[in-house]
Amino acid sequence: MKHVANGIVAVKRTHKLSKSVALVALLFSLLNSSIQLSDASTKTSIESQVESIQKKYSAENEAWIRKMRACKSKAEESKLLPLSPTMTKYVPRMTTLMKSAPKDPGAGTAALWLVTAAENPAQAHDAIGILKKYHLRSKTMDDAITFLWFTRIPEVKDLLKAYIAQQPNKTLKTTATFSLAKMFAEENASVEAIRLFEEVARNGKDIPERKNSVRTLEEAANSHLFELRNLLVGKKAPDIQGTDVIGKQFKLSDFAGKVIMLDFFGFW
Amino acid sequence: MLPHERSLVNELKNKPFAIVGVNSDPQDKLRTLINNKRVTWPCFFDGGDPQGPIASKWNVSSWPTIYLIDKKGIIRFKDHYLDEKLLRQLLEDGTASASRPAIDDGVIKSKGTQSGK
């Protein structure tokens, strides 16, 4: 989960350690909630074995998050931070299970787990191949499309493309397209990102961005389009009109001619 | 981060520098921050919601998000931390972009072709 962890470090570096822990917890719960295994009666042997590894790792992670939350000082947190449980030690076992029967639903779950556990893009290669070949139409993939972009593994784009190409359901297709667009945007491939966000803006009218989210995919895609067109380094900053806390109106352009540090912040 | 921003405001008060906040806290909380002099710079109140109108339009999804805008209004930096070295460089730049040689700006100025915007 190193790629994801790197993203978190960027946030943490400034000042909100507790927020980064919350982010790990969020990501983790996403991962867990989306890897739903079929019920016991129909489970294959591979599925059961994969599930038991996942449970072990989950328990370790939950214990660590509990400890982080209980920390009373930054110093205490910093000491605990490097002790976060790693997925690495389970990789060989998961890889063996996945390769022993690549078409088994359990192999799909294992492959997805391995993609998120990969410490570099090359480590995810085999797992991505198996997902692409055997598991494009699976609940495992349907649930993964909202968070797979977090991995920042370039090859995940191919997996998303293959998923989109075969997906008849509009909601799933558009959600996956949104993830793919975000990956292109993160790689600074603006032209491709804009093309895909435009597609999502057209098709995402009634689709929530995430489960329970107020923002629709159409709105989210339009925000991304606004960012790509107007908010990249080198662009002229658009003006902001708003009010301060007592309702007095002011504009960002009131400070024109100065160097402005525009700071989106909050402690909610 | 707030103490650091306060000290920047203080230290750079004679420079052409402004911090402008976009705050996602509820109104009473932001008011307390300002009343207690923890926030000493102008702040947009963004509806008390991380998905407020300004943050939504600017597609901000993690906090803090910091933009540095130069004297000509060009975005020069955006990330989740402050590049203080760049900030100081932008403050020292007599005119616009550091990516252009300083002499270039001088020439433009002396020809009087600067738009003045």
Side-chain angles (χ1 to χ4, degrees), chain A:
Chain A
M1 189 139 349
K2 204 171 169 204
H3 307 279
V4 174
N6 283 344
I8 292 161
V9 170
V11 178
K12 190 208 71 197
R13 193 161 31 172
T14 54
H15 66 144
K16 283 184 188 168
L17 198 58
S18 51
K19 201 157 266 187
S20 75
V21 174
L23 202 58
V24 174
L26 168 78
L27 192 74
F28 182 67
S29 67
L30 270 174
L31 194 63
N32 255 0
S33 67
S34 46
I35 301 174
Q36 283 162 2
L37 294 137
S38 39
D39 67 89
S41 55
T42 61
K43 225 180 274 176
T44 66
S45 147
I46 306 259
E47 278 181 293
S48 312
Q49 292 177 68
V50 167
E51 186 181 7
S52 95
I53 297 175
Q54 285 182 308
K55 276 190 178 154
K56 229 190 251 174
Y57 174 71
S58 299
E60 282 176 20
N61 217 11
E62 273 161 22
W64 178 76
I65 288 168
R66 261 198 309 278
K67 275 193 213 156
M68 279 301 275
R69 287 197 166 137
C71 282
K72 291 196 176 68
S73 68
K74 289 257 152 101
E76 233 180 291
E77 282 184 354
S78 314
K79 248 188 253 167
L80 207 53
L81 199 63
L83 300 177
S84 74
T86 77
M87 298 167 102
T88 319
K89 66 176 168 186
Y90 300 113
V91 165
R93 182 81 191 117
M94 280 290 204
T95 307
T96 308
L97 283 169
M98 172 184 81
K99 289 189 173 167
S100 69
K103 293 183 190 172
D104 188 284
T109 311
L112 179 63
W113 191 94
L114 285 164
V115 173
T116 57
E119 289 184 337
N120 59 62
Q123 277 184 11
H125 178 75
D126 289 349
I128 289 173
I130 284 176
L131 285 169
K132 237 160 77 175
K133 200 160 175 193
Y134 302 112
H135 302 282
L136 285 182
R137 286 219 180 177
S138 66
K139 178 102 172 41
T140 305
M141 274 303 292
D142 293 348
D143 290 331
I145 52 173
T146 50
F147 68 83
L148 262 178
W149 68 276
F150 267 137
T151 60
R152 305 209 170 126
I153 296 170
E155 207 186 342
V156 165
K157 296 201 301 298
D158 297 335
L159 177 60
L160 286 170
K161 280 181 203 165
Y163 177 89
I164 292 162
Q166 60 76 50
Q167 183 51 253
N169 177 291
K170 189 180 160 194
T171 298
L172 292 171
K173 200 184 183 89
T174 310
T175 304
T177 306
F178 184 61
S179 286
L180 181 60
K182 281 197 280 198
M183 292 195 79
F184 276 114
E186 291 230 344
E187 292 172 12
N188 295 319
S190 301
V191 176
E192 195 59 14
I194 286 176
R195 189 184 68 77
L196 292 167
F197 279 129
E198 281 173 342
E199 192 182 318
V200 176
R202 276 195 304 274
N203 299 328
K205 207 174 175 81
D206 304 309
I207 306 170
E209 184 180 5
R210 282 179 294 269
K211 217 183 259 180
N212 304 325
S213 114
V214 204
R215 199 156 84 142
T216 65
L217 276 182
E218 179 195 24
E219 290 165 332
N222 279 327
S223 288
H224 280 278
L225 286 168
F226 182 80
E227 180 179 12
L228 286 167
R229 288 171 177 147
N230 304 295
L231 300 174
L232 299 187
V233 169
K235 300 273 183 185
K236 177 122 187 155
D239 202 3
I240 297 175
Q241 294 200 24
T243 57
D244 68 11
V245 76
I246 56 167
K248 201 179 141 211
Q249 288 206 357
F250 74 106
K251 297 190 298 246
L252 184 63
S253 56
D254 295 342
F255 305 91
K258 294 183 176 182
V259 175
I260 301 172
M261 172 180 163
L262 181 65
D263 183 5
F264 291 84
F265 75 107
F267 305 92
W268 65 93

Side-chain angles (χ1 to χ4, degrees), chain B residues 18-35:
Chain B
I19 298 183
V20 177
V22 179
N23 179 275
S24 305
D25 288 312
Q27 201 160 9
D28 52 345
K29 191 158 179 186
L30 177 57
R31 192 171 288 153
T32 310
L33 286 172
I34 292 170
N35 288 347

